[in-house]
Amino acid sequence: MKTFSLAITGSGGSGVVTAGKILLHAVAYAGYWGWMAKSFGPQIRGGESAVMLHLADTPVEHNSDTFDLLLGLDWHGFERFADEAPLSEAAQIWHDEHTPPPTSLSGYHTRALPLKSLASQVPKGHINMVAAGALGAWLGLPFEALEKSLRKLLSRKGEEVVQQNLQLIRLGFDQCEPQPDLLSSWERHSDTPWLVQGNPLTGLGLLRGGIRFFSAYPITPATDLSEWLASRLPTQNGVLIQSEDELAAINMAIGASFAGAPAATATSGPGLSLMMEGIGLAIAAEVPVTVVNVNRGGPSTGIPTKSEQSDLESLLLGPHGDSPHVVTAPLGIADLAATAQWSVWLAETLQTAVLMASEQRLAMAEAILPPVEALDLPTPERGVKDCSDWVRFATDAMSPLPVPGQDSCRYVADGLEHTPTGVPSSFASDHRAQLNRRARKLTDFHYGERAFEWDGPHDAETLLIGTGSLWPLLKHCARARTEAGHPTAALGLRLLMPLPIEQLRPLLEKAQRRRVVEQTHGAQLLHYLQGQLPDIPLDGLARPGPLPIRPGEVHQFLEEDG
Amino acid sequence: MPFANDYKSDIHPIWCPGCGHFMVLRALTQAMAWLELDKDRTAVISGIGCSSRLPAYVDTYGFHGLHGRALPLATGVKLANPELTVIVASGDGDAYSIGGNHFLHACRRNLDMTLIVMDNRVYGMTKGQPSPTTEPEWKAKLAPHGTHLRPFQPMALALSAGASFVARGFSGNPAELSKVIAAGIEHQGFSFIEVLSPCVTFRPEELAWRHEAAPLDAEPTDDLCTAMHNVLKKPALTTGIFYQAQRPVWEPDTAAHRPLDALAEEAFAL
Ligand SMILES: Cc1ncc(C[n+]2csc(CCOP(=O)(O)OP(=O)(O)O)c2C)c(N)n1
Ligand code: SF4
């Protein structure tokens, strides 16, 4: 696999993200693969920002260890972000001729470009476009790819704007010669890939799952999932509402679902905490609802713009009382749609709350991917044809959910413990029977092959276990180690709760060492898995965000681990 | 024509004998009977409290949800299934304290639903703590010297927040209350009905309300200033419809149907 990683940094408003988008789109048009992570400071406008592009000749979703090139549109606030872009020894630093890089970057090969003076040749010219052109040429992208990319991103602003920017890109493009060992020598694909953003792709998955109602309160980094749905859900005959808070968001979704519409909401850590009582209600009253949690740095308001996996214990254990529910996690960016669709399907099928563990790193990423197909899942039906012998909470069977206004199965959904017909009850026998019902409907269900992914030899001596954004990385590390003569496999958990213990046990038992890799401070996943599989020795690498876990870190951990 | 009893379920209320909420149930089911509501197309939604137990006692669809969250629950129900007649049963703690924010926003959205708050100026279910409408000097275990807080004026709040039907009823006058509730249900938009409903166990002195309650000596108005004047100036136990106006009901966005594949292509294909 051929790869190249570059980072572009600059203060907010310098156009870092636009430059990154133009390059990533051009890479896609030219027939290569790649993905882009975005990093923002806490400021709303004007703070530092950076994009990190990972380009490859095959579909790629993991971080590289180091960056081969760093371009500074300016260096304001760079030190706050420097850790996120470790440079390789041979890395190049590009900058405008009048803004040399900070001394912390001395020792690297630098290249000064006349970005500002070229930009000033075009009215309202911005240096980010010149830089994108220069980088594009140097990487070996054809000019047409950059032009297509620009048109795709800017044509809604009118031809005049397109022409101005095209001129800027051309000025930059003419500054550099293509590097023979870079993209122009890579194998190209002839697919027609997608260029996705994580949150919108999650939104597509929710639509494919059949949601007809979505309520949410804005919170970084979940907001643009809601924003993406705002104009699309109505085209599916669905309703979207901005609620007054997360307490309302979850309760609106539950109400809508009770009334017949498959429903979802999305939030991030602080909002998840506010939703917890509602999630418990959905579990107790057996109302299907899907909650997408886009994990940011926690606890409390934490680091809103950066990523972590530290909401895991909240997702697993947050609701009070005995509250069995489902927790899913997307395995990488491409899996966001499928896992969202599956989550809605599970919620509908099992009539409970399904919490999906997304992450900032996935949600804010943009990636070139093969088109993401919808899962072929049967459509769960709402409605009861004959209500005469229908029992809402029978102790031995699931029953379909009636649609009020359509079916004559009048009942009262209740968070209070209840009898099989839904009448509030504090009898021990009813409590036990209903607890059993709510637990068993989840544990008896056959989740199928989607529950986890395996990559690598079945007789691997080392097993890397993880979920979410770490799955592509673990796959990559396992393959590299196997190639180096240490048979290693990766296990990605898409279904975190209920954990498919029976299927996992033989796989785990076979390996000699099992290492859980996660982005938390408290080793939350390790402790959860160990609690579920107490007799299987597990160990792991747990590190909090916001810096992503990189391949070298995993390799080093395994080396030191013996 | 159906009878009130036809709308009652066969579950016996857990309320204390003499609790005002019995009469609210009576008046509500009477209003349902008058309006001949289709039971399968009616949903009674509540939060938590003695008052919020009501859905189980009505033979319609119902949801007994979380303390304070009846209104968002009902908002979801109404938006997902607009054909349903949605009635929300709440208490003064449920609606004005823990659910206070939702109360304001539900008024503002003006969705077509009816909120009945059974106000006994106390938390009944948790055994006698002051609520946002309790008198400042009323003493309780949790407030041995009283709260010294000015009570909320929920009807004034509802008017300023945008409710399009604002009324007060009294459980001791179920005949009038039924009419007010029926008018609230028929009104297009958010109907807020404050119902004075004595808690005989923790506020037995409220039984005296029956000597003080008196009907409003004015017709319903759609003039906000007049309504506000009446709400603030008339004695606290004045019953009747204080305000009724036509105001736009919040409508979610709609759009022509588009195939999902087309949406996906448009968003993600190069
Ligand atoms: C989240 C939460 N907090 C507290 C409670 C306890 N609680 C139950 S009912 C209630 C007050 C109910 O008072 P009100 O709404 O006035 O109704 P009433 O019982 O007087 O009819 C409280 C505080 C609860 N059930 N849930
Ligand atoms: S405690 Fe008060 S409000 Fe509750 S049922 Fe008894 S009398 Fe009614």
Side-chain angles (χ1 to χ4, degrees):
Chain A
M1 177 157 119
K2 295 195 166 118
T3 61
F4 188 86
S5 297
L6 68 131
I8 309 175
T9 175
S11 47
S14 62
V16 166
V17 175
T18 308
K21 275 176 178 279
I22 287 188
L23 281 172
L24 191 69
H25 277 80
V27 166
Y29 280 118
Y32 310 105
W33 303 98
W35 73 283
M36 176 170 91
K38 295 176 217 143
S39 175
F40 301 103
Q43 301 87 338
I44 308 308
R45 292 199 90 94
E48 73 279 6
S49 62
V51 291
M52 284 144 279
L53 285 90
H54 305 272
L55 312 181
D57 59 350
T58 53
V60 63
E61 283 193 27
H62 65 267
N63 285 298
S64 57
D65 275 312
T66 53
F67 287 82
D68 307 300
L69 189 150
L70 170 67
L71 177 125
L73 291 178
D74 60 61
W75 302 101
H76 298 299
F78 169 71
E79 61 291 345
R80 262 177 295 189
F81 148 80
D83 287 349
E84 292 183 43
L87 299 173
S88 68
E89 261 172 47
Q92 313 202 6
I93 315 280
W94 288 22
H95 61 94
D96 177 70
E97 54 193 355
H98 301 300
T99 44
T103 49
S104 59
L105 290 173
S106 61
Y108 289 100
H109 176 79
T110 56
R111 176 166 189 169
L113 291 159
L115 298 175
K116 280 185 193 143
S117 73
L118 289 174
S120 66
Q121 294 179 19
V122 177
K124 293 191 226 152
H126 281 293
I127 63 169
N128 63 332
M129 291 293 170
V130 182
L135 273 173
W138 189 83
L139 288 167
L141 290 169
F143 186 77
E144 304 74 66
L146 287 160
E147 175 169 358
K148 270 193 191 170
S149 164
L150 186 84
R151 289 197 175 278
K152 166 103 182 158
L153 293 167
L154 290 190
S155 58
R156 68 193 153 81
K157 297 196 175 174
E159 187 58 23
E160 197 186 332
V161 175
V162 170
Q163 285 305 333
Q164 277 171 355
N165 285 287
L166 210 50
Q167 227 180 316
L168 292 162
I169 289 186
R170 170 59 82 181
L171 288 168
F173 195 83
D174 291 342
Q175 288 290 307
C176 296
E177 291 298 320
Q179 298 306 291
D181 56 335
L182 284 185
L183 274 55
S184 52
S185 69
W186 292 5
E187 204 167 318
R188 304 164 52 153
H189 64 76
S190 53
D191 306 11
T192 40
W194 278 10
L195 205 154
V196 306
Q197 304 91 46
N199 267 334
L201 191 62
T202 311
L204 176 66
L206 294 175
L207 294 181
R208 284 173 169 172
I211 62 157
R212 291 290 174 270
F213 185 90
F214 186 89
S215 45
Y217 187 77
I219 183 166
T220 304
T223 309
D224 62 342
L225 167 49
S226 312
E227 287 175 341
W228 191 84
L229 283 172
S231 59
R232 279 127 183 134
L233 186 53
T235 70
Q236 307 303 304
N237 197 23
V239 170
L240 181 136
I241 180 169
Q242 178 181 333
S243 60
E244 55 269 33
D245 55 31
E246 288 87 348
L247 304 161
I250 184 70
N251 282 282
M252 285 176 180
I254 294 168
S257 183
F258 165 78
T265 177
T267 188
S268 185
L272 178 68
S273 295
L274 288 182
M275 288 187 184
M276 232 21 120
E277 192 193 15
I279 291 168
L281 173 65
I283 295 168
E286 302 196 40
V287 180
V289 67
T290 304
V291 179
V292 178
N293 181 65
V294 185
N295 206 142
R296 61 197 222 171
S300 191
T301 313
I303 312 183
T305 53
K306 310 253 165 154
S307 200
E308 224 165 52
Q309 295 183 317
S310 51
D311 291 340
L312 181 68
E313 283 174 352
S314 287
L315 291 163
L316 295 168
L317 310 173
H320 63 274
D322 286 306
S323 23
H325 59 286
V326 177
V327 180
T328 59
L331 296 180
I333 304 164
D335 196 41
L336 284 163
T339 298
Q341 184 188 351
W342 193 47
S343 297
V344 177
W345 184 79
L346 287 172
E348 290 293 312
T349 307
L350 296 168
Q351 298 177 12
T352 191
V354 176
L355 315 184
M356 171 169 154
S358 183
E359 298 164 41
Q360 186 273 353
R361 196 164 335 277
L362 300 168
M364 301 305 281
E366 303 199 12
I368 306 164
L369 299 170
V372 180
E373 303 292 335
L375 297 179
D376 187 14
L377 295 169
T379 319
E381 294 284 330
R382 293 282 189 106
V384 183
K385 287 197 187 69
D386 179 8
C387 293
S388 54
D389 53 3
W390 172 86
V391 179
R392 178 68 190 97
F393 305 108
T395 50
D396 54 352
M398 296 285 286
S399 55
L401 269 172
V403 177
Q406 172 192 301
D407 306 324
S408 204
C409 302
R410 295 184 298 278
Y411 78 108
V412 179
D414 205 322
L416 279 177
E417 192 55 281
H418 39 258
T419 65
T421 53
V423 179
S425 163
S426 49
F427 285 117
S429 53
D430 285 324
H431 187 42
R432 182 177 291 257
Q434 292 300 321
L435 285 170
N436 281 340
R437 172 188 152 91
R438 292 189 291 263
R440 277 208 208 112
K441 69 175 180 180
L442 302 190
T443 49
D444 289 355
F445 185 73
H446 187 63
Y447 294 86
E449 289 178 356
R450 296 208 66 72
F452 57 86
E453 295 280 337
W454 178 276
D455 191 271
H458 272 270
D459 56 351
E461 57 194 40
T462 302
L463 185 54
L464 292 171
I465 306 165
T467 189
S469 65
L470 288 179
W471 167 243
L473 174 83
L474 298 186
K475 258 194 316 189
H476 170 74
C477 293
R479 286 177 191 180
R481 281 184 55 86
T482 304
E483 266 171 44
H486 310 286
T488 305
L491 172 65
L493 301 172
R494 196 181 273 119
L495 180 66
L496 293 166
M497 185 183 250
L499 198 68
I501 295 176
E502 294 319 310
Q503 290 108 289
L504 291 179
R505 180 177 287 284
L507 295 170
L508 289 167
E509 276 171 349
K510 251 194 205 165
Q512 281 152 38
R513 57 173 185 167
R514 310 147 200 97
R515 297 296 177 255
V516 181
V517 183
E518 61 188 295
Q519 187 126 47
T520 70
H521 183 263
Q524 300 183 15
L525 182 59
L526 173 69
H527 293 145
Y528 170 64
L529 296 177
Q530 193 67 83
Q532 300 276 310
L533 296 151
D535 52 319
I536 297 185
L538 301 172
D539 203 343
L541 164 64
R543 183 171 62 58
L547 298 182
I549 297 178
R550 299 190 184 278
E553 203 174 342
V554 176
H555 289 305
Q556 194 190 343
F557 166 74
L558 291 175
E559 295 291 298
E560 289 170 4
D561 188 46
Chain B
M1 192 171 102
F3 297 106
N5 272 340
D6 295 336
Y7 285 88
K8 286 204 183 130
S9 76
D10 43 23
I11 299 173
H12 187 74
I14 56 151
W15 295 321
C16 308
C19 173
H21 301 348
F22 278 105
M23 285 300 137
V24 182
L25 173 63
R26 160 103 216 145
L28 172 63
T29 49
Q30 179 59 258
M32 289 173 148
W34 280 337
L35 299 172
E36 298 185 36
L37 290 188
D38 180 342
K39 295 177 181 184
D40 290 334
R41 286 173 187 267
T42 304
V44 182
I45 313 294
S46 72
I48 297 289
C50 297
S51 34
S52 295
R53 286 289 193 131
L54 186 135
Y57 312 140
V58 182
D59 183 20
T60 63
Y61 278 97
F63 206 137
H64 181 210
L66 296 178
H67 192 30
R69 316 295 164 217
L71 283 169
L73 201 60
T75 300
V77 170
K78 185 68 187 178
L79 289 173
N81 201 333
E83 290 188 355
L84 297 183
T85 299
V86 175
I87 295 157
V88 183
S90 188
D92 41 318
D94 194 64
Y96 310 140
S97 188
I98 191 167
N101 191 33
H102 308 311
F103 175 58
L104 299 177
H105 288 271
C107 291
R108 179 173 177 235
R109 280 189 200 100
N110 196 35
L111 289 181
D112 187 13
M113 58 173 73
T114 303
L115 168 66
I116 299 170
V117 179
M118 292 161 243
D119 191 345
N120 49 21
R121 299 183 180 166
V122 71
Y123 286 15
M125 180 148 273
T126 45
K127 300 194 169 26
Q129 299 79 28
S131 87
T133 50
T134 301
E135 304 79 346
E137 65 281 4
W138 187 73
K139 296 178 182 53
K141 271 194 207 158
L142 195 54
H145 308 289
T147 61
H148 306 297
L149 284 170
R150 186 173 175 273
F152 267 158
Q153 305 240 28
M155 293 170 66
L157 284 175
L159 284 173
S160 51
S164 51
F165 178 104
V166 175
R168 185 185 289 124
F170 173 44
S171 66
N173 187 351
E176 185 208 28
L177 180 58
S178 310
K179 287 184 199 137
V180 171
I181 292 177
I185 293 173
E186 281 198 298
H187 172 75
Q188 289 272 320
F190 190 78
S191 307
F192 168 54
I193 306 172
E194 172 184 303
V195 182
L196 303 168
S197 179
C199 171
V200 293
T201 302
F202 298 105
R203 305 290 316 258
E205 69 277 20
E206 289 173 350
L207 286 169
W209 280 352
R210 67 173 176 267
H211 306 301
E212 297 164 47
L216 176 68
D217 52 0
E219 287 301 303
T221 171
D222 63 359
D223 181 66
L224 203 53
C225 293
T226 310
M228 193 64 98
H229 179 87
N230 287 340
V231 162
L232 296 176
K233 287 289 179 209
K234 303 278 176 189
L237 299 178
T238 305
T239 58
I241 301 169
F242 283 67
Y243 180 70
Q244 184 167 15
Q246 294 308 317
R247 205 172 73 71
V249 167
W250 185 74
E251 300 270 3
D253 279 352
T254 55
H257 176 78
R258 297 196 53 203
L260 261 186
D261 285 347
L263 287 184
E265 285 285 315
E266 180 190 79
F268 306 121
L270 274 174

